[in-house]
Amino acid sequence: MKKILLDLEIDEETIRDMIEQCPEIEEMSESEIMEKINMLREFECNDSQIADIISSNPYYLDSIDTDIKKTINKLKEYGFEDIDSLLEGNPYILNLDDFEIENYIQKREKAGEKLEDIVDDMSSKPYLFYDI
C-alpha cells in the first residue's frame, strides 16, 4: 500500500497522517488502492491531482466504488464538466451520495435558480459542496 502512495509522490509523513485519519487504509491491498487510483484516472485526474485528492481525503480509499460512480454520474447528469478540477478543488465531493447532490440542486431550483447557473456557481466555487 505504502509503495503505491510513495510512487504518487505522497511523502511518508502525509501517509502517516492519512492512516491516522482512516486506519482502514493500512489494511487495504495494493490492488484495492490501485482500483481507487484507476477510478480517478477514469475521471481524467492526473497523478498530481490524484495525490492531492487522496492525501486530502483518505476516506476516499475506503469508499464503495459503486457509490463513487453514482456520485460522479450524478454530477455529469447535471452538466458538471472538468470533474478532475472539481475533485481537486474539493476532494470531499467524493464523500457525498448522489441523492445529496440531487436534493441540494433541486432545493436551489425550487428557490428559482436555473440549473445552468447552479452548475456554473458550484463549478467555480467547489467549496459550495460543503453546504450539501
Side-chain angles (χ1 to χ4, degrees):
M1 181 268 309
K2 213 177 230 186
K3 182 186 177 331
I4 294 171
L5 298 178
L6 290 169
D7 287 347
L8 283 172
E9 297 184 15
I10 299 175
D11 62 70
E12 294 266 356
E13 183 178 339
T14 302
I15 294 170
R16 280 192 299 276
D17 291 342
M18 291 169 60
I19 292 169
E20 188 175 304
Q21 287 179 48
C22 185
E24 296 81 6
I25 63 174
E26 193 168 30
E27 304 302 321
M28 294 179 74
S29 69
E30 286 188 7
S31 65
E32 290 172 313
I33 299 288
M34 282 307 301
E35 282 178 35
K36 296 293 194 231
I37 290 170
N38 288 332
M39 188 181 313
L40 289 173
R41 287 185 177 133
E42 287 174 25
F43 307 143
E44 299 181 18
C45 295
N46 62 41
D47 285 353
S48 175
Q49 290 171 317
I50 292 169
D52 288 344
I53 292 166
I54 291 173
S55 61
S56 296
N57 182 11
Y59 298 102
Y60 163 72
L61 294 173
D62 191 41
S63 62
I64 299 170
D65 291 357
T66 53
D67 290 347
I68 298 297
K69 289 180 180 181
K70 284 180 186 177
T71 297
I72 298 302
N73 287 336
K74 183 59 68 178
L75 291 170
K76 289 178 178 179
E77 180 182 309
Y78 277 117
F80 285 89
E81 298 176 356
D82 301 322
I83 300 296
D84 59 328
S85 298
L86 193 62
L87 295 177
E88 186 177 30
N90 187 344
Y92 294 97
I93 292 169
L94 295 167
N95 297 356
L96 297 171
D97 288 318
D98 60 322
F99 65 86
E100 293 175 301
I101 294 167
E102 183 171 21
N103 291 343
Y104 178 80
I105 289 175
Q106 287 177 352
K107 180 180 171 184
R108 287 183 64 175
E109 284 180 314
K110 285 179 185 173
E113 293 183 67
K114 294 180 183 176
L115 177 60
E116 180 181 298
D117 294 337
I118 297 167
V119 170
D120 286 345
D121 190 34
M122 294 175 75
S123 293
S124 64
K125 302 172 196 163
Y127 61 84
L128 290 175
F129 283 89
Y130 290 121
D131 292 342
I132 298 177

